[in-house]
Amino acid sequence: MATVLHINSSVRQTGSLSRQLGGEFVAKWQAANPDGTVVTRDLASSPVPHLTEQMMGAYFTPAEQRNADQAHTIKTSDALVDELLAADTIVIGAPMYNFSVTSGLKAWIDHVARAGRTFKYGANGPEGLVHGKKVIVFVASGGVYSEGPAAAYDHVTTYLRSVLGFLGMTDVTFVVAEGVAMGEEAVAAAVAKGRSKIDAIAA
């Protein structure tokens, strides 16, 4: 049975284009896969904890050697990694905040980037262990960062492509709705462009 992991990271429950477009894609996927499963992880309404020294210690302690506190601390991370590994398709809503991803999405990444589970160190350096996944990332930004003088400020697509690739996920498609702070016409154009790309992906 096919499974989608749908991650939302916008702090806005209404008026969020990354939520809107990501939701439209998931709805199309569900219509095409009526027997499929969608697992939703909302990092705004149900935030995961940020990385702590105790968590880091638990990550690098073999399971059989963890004390009770470490075993409790690592439960959230293990659950998030299990969700990621079980999914065939990962849909990520990633609005740009201050040129980068939200703190909630960064916290999720810190939980799922786990040596021994999602990547390993080998003779030739680190190797991603998360293979066979299709990732669609929905990015929304007030300005235009795909080209022009502001392109150097885009630390959303560049960071996510790097970190997902590091974990082994190289089939990554970005659906970008940009310039949405430039008026209603710009928003309408961004949504139309996003929907066109959704249709192409879903085809």
Side-chain angles (χ1 to χ4, degrees), residues 4 13 70 99 116 140 186-188 201:
V4 164
Q13 295 295 326
Q70 288 176 320
F99 311 123
V187 172
I201 296 169

Side-chain angles (χ1 to χ4, degrees), residues 53-67 70-71 74 78 114-115:
E53 183 178 8
Q54 185 180 33
M55 284 183 210
M56 186 68 78
Y59 289 174
F60 290 99
T61 300
E64 66 277 5
Q65 296 178 23
R66 291 177 193 139
N67 59 35
Q70 288 176 320
I74 208 167
D78 281 342
R114 288 272 303 278

Side-chain angles (χ1 to χ4, degrees), residues 64-156:
E64 66 277 5
Q65 296 178 23
R66 291 177 193 139
N67 59 35
D69 287 341
Q70 288 176 320
H72 176 74
T73 295
I74 208 167
K75 281 185 177 181
T76 296
S77 176
D78 281 342
L80 295 174
V81 171
D82 289 343
E83 284 180 353
L84 176 64
L85 296 178
D88 304 290
T89 301
I90 297 98
V91 177
I92 302 174
M96 177 185 285
Y97 290 0
N98 298 316
F99 311 123
S100 190
V101 298
T102 67
S103 62
L105 183 54
K106 179 58 168 64
W108 178 83
I109 290 168
D110 287 339
H111 280 284
V112 301
R114 288 272 303 278
R117 294 212 63 192
T118 55
F119 73 95
K120 68 179 180 179
Y121 294 104
N124 297 317
E127 175 186 343
L129 300 175
V130 187
H131 301 295
K133 314 293 184 187
K134 182 176 183 62
V135 184
I136 302 99
V137 182
F138 290 88
V139 180
S141 62
V144 174
Y145 299 93
S146 63
E147 59 184 9
Y153 293 99
D154 172 19
H155 303 295
V156 175

